[in-house]
Amino acid sequence: MSKNITVNQIDKVLDEALSDYKLGKTQCKNIIFVGNDGIGKSSRINRWMETHSGEVTPVCLTTAPLWKEENGILVKDLKNGKPQYVLGVPPEGLLEDGAIGFCKNLNYSSDECIQPLEQIFSDRTYCFPGMDNKQDLHKLFLIIATAYPDDYGHYGYNLADISNIKKCSDVYTVTSSVDDIKEYLNNKLQVELKSIIEAGKKDN
């Protein structure tokens, strides 16, 4: 069941997850922040990861199509007429001490894209298509994801079914308060001003 929080409470949720891991209360945890686009979810998470850069090593969890060669040409490897997808990063990168996964806009994809991630979320294993050996990814103690609300599908967004992933995750519905919006816009303005100043220095 989803819990309701505001953007500025994301830090508290992540701090508690990291603390529980350090204290041995949890071994693996998945956290999904569901909310509208542009309210600052990803910015808040990125800032948290930067703040804790000495404790965690973020890895972007993505998937990519599986390709094969036919008559000297690379084509997508199909299964039952649909493209197969594989983990978009080397699994070895998920075996580092302090590794955490980050999935931005998790459900903004197809069901086939999501499938390679389901096993990682559920039991921290990964198996390359067509191979029998599963890779143990239990060092990946935390996975953080953002996702769009289900009703975004009505607005033309192609949303994948992430119900299986939600079952093994802590799900938070994120809304923005007035203070959140002010902080988000202020941070965005600061970044833009910095970019303009740096561009001006190059011109000089």
Side-chain angles (χ1 to χ4, degrees):
M1 185 175 179
S2 178
K3 301 175 184 176
N4 296 321
I5 63 171
T6 60
V7 174
N8 62 12
Q9 291 176 301
I10 288 176
D11 301 67
K12 181 181 178 182
V13 172
L14 297 178
D15 283 341
E16 288 177 353
L18 182 58
S19 176
D20 286 348
Y21 171 71
K22 289 180 176 179
L23 294 173
K25 293 181 180 180
T26 59
Q27 291 185 326
C28 295
K29 182 180 281 289
N30 309 318
I31 299 174
I32 302 177
F33 296 107
V34 179
N36 294 334
D37 204 5
I39 62 174
K41 301 184 304 297
S42 296
S43 298
R44 199 87 190 192
I45 293 167
N46 284 326
R47 191 167 63 188
W48 182 86
M49 291 190 296
E50 289 174 6
T51 301
H52 295 273
S53 59
E55 303 167 276
V56 300
T57 304
V59 179
C60 187
L61 281 182
T62 60
T63 58
L66 181 61
W67 298 83
K68 66 179 180 180
E69 186 178 336
E70 286 186 0
N71 302 319
I73 301 174
L74 283 177
V75 297
K76 289 182 179 180
D77 192 351
L78 305 181
K79 183 177 182 181
N80 299 324
K82 294 185 177 181
Q84 295 191 81
Y85 283 79
V86 295
L87 193 61
V89 294
E92 294 76 20
L94 306 176
L95 301 176
E96 301 291 333
D97 289 332
I100 63 171
F102 179 44
C103 303
K104 184 177 180 181
N105 301 334
L106 174 63
N107 57 346
Y108 191 43
S109 56
S110 66
D111 292 346
E112 292 77 27
C113 289
I114 292 298
Q115 286 173 359
L117 299 177
E118 285 188 354
Q119 204 165 29
I120 298 175
F121 271 83
S122 62
D123 62 12
R124 291 299 194 271
T125 61
Y126 175 71
C127 187
F128 195 86
M131 300 182 71
D132 296 326
N133 58 318
K134 288 185 178 181
Q135 190 143 16
D136 188 330
L137 301 178
H138 278 85
K139 278 195 171 184
L140 187 66
F141 73 91
L142 177 63
I143 299 178
I144 307 166
T146 62
Y148 290 118
D150 293 338
D151 63 4
Y152 263 48
H154 301 306
Y155 301 106
Y157 283 68
N158 294 319
L159 299 186
D161 180 7
I162 58 171
S163 55
N164 288 334
I165 292 178
K166 284 183 175 180
K167 289 176 184 176
C168 57
S169 305
D170 292 344
V171 181
Y172 294 87
T173 298
V174 184
T175 56
S176 56
S177 65
V178 173
D179 289 339
D180 289 331
I181 295 172
K182 286 181 179 178
E183 183 177 352
Y184 175 69
L185 292 176
N186 182 59
N187 289 337
K188 190 173 182 181
L189 179 61
Q190 292 298 327
V191 171
E192 291 177 355
L193 285 174
K194 184 177 180 181
S195 177
I196 293 172
I197 292 170
E198 290 178 351
K201 288 179 179 178
K202 290 179 181 178
D203 291 339
N204 294 330

